[in-house]
Amino acid sequence: THQINDDNIIYIESLKDFIQLYFSDGKKLLIKYKISQVEKELSSRFLRVHKSFIVNRNKVTAFSATEVETGSIKIPIGYSYKDEVAERLRK
């Protein structure tokens, strides 16, 4: 069992039946959990940008039509998520 402050999460990556959480202090945490389930439990500050990625909107430093940047990390935007991502990040 882990207690996690979601302010420190930069992004979440799906790895089949697991998710990898990436934190602002450089640490990572691998959990047996599905990304679709964690997406339902996260606050509205998190945004699904790809079938394999959820990002913390507060950590996004730049974005284009095809990717989101969080510092030096580039995360692809899936085609089916493109319109919603653009709309929510422009707010």
Side-chain angles (χ1 to χ4, degrees):
T1 303
H2 297 277
Q3 189 160 4
I4 298 169
N5 179 354
D6 64 2
D7 286 338
N8 295 328
I9 299 172
I10 299 174
Y11 69 99
I12 300 167
E13 181 180 12
S14 173
L15 304 167
K16 297 193 181 191
D17 291 339
F18 291 83
I19 57 170
Q20 179 99 20
L21 286 78
Y22 294 84
F23 297 96
S24 51
D25 62 3
K27 293 182 181 177
K28 297 187 268 185
L29 179 63
L30 184 66
I31 303 171
K32 185 165 176 52
Y33 214 68
K34 293 201 181 277
I35 197 166
S36 57
Q37 185 61 37
V38 78
E39 179 183 21
K40 294 175 188 175
E41 297 175 12
L42 291 168
S43 69
S44 62
R45 103 182 71 165
F46 288 89
L47 177 62
R48 184 90 176 253
V49 297
H50 188 276
K51 68 180 182 177
S52 299
F53 293 98
I54 296 174
V55 297
N56 183 338
R57 290 180 14 193
N58 296 341
K59 306 290 184 183
V60 172
T61 54
F63 72 97
S64 69
T66 58
E67 63 189 14
V68 172
E69 291 182 24
T70 59
S72 62
I73 301 161
K74 294 182 179 184
I75 299 169
I77 296 175
Y79 181 77
S80 61
Y81 298 91
K82 195 178 200 178
D83 293 335
E84 183 182 351
V85 169
E87 181 183 326
R88 288 192 56 198
L89 289 178
R90 285 193 179 109
K91 289 184 179 179

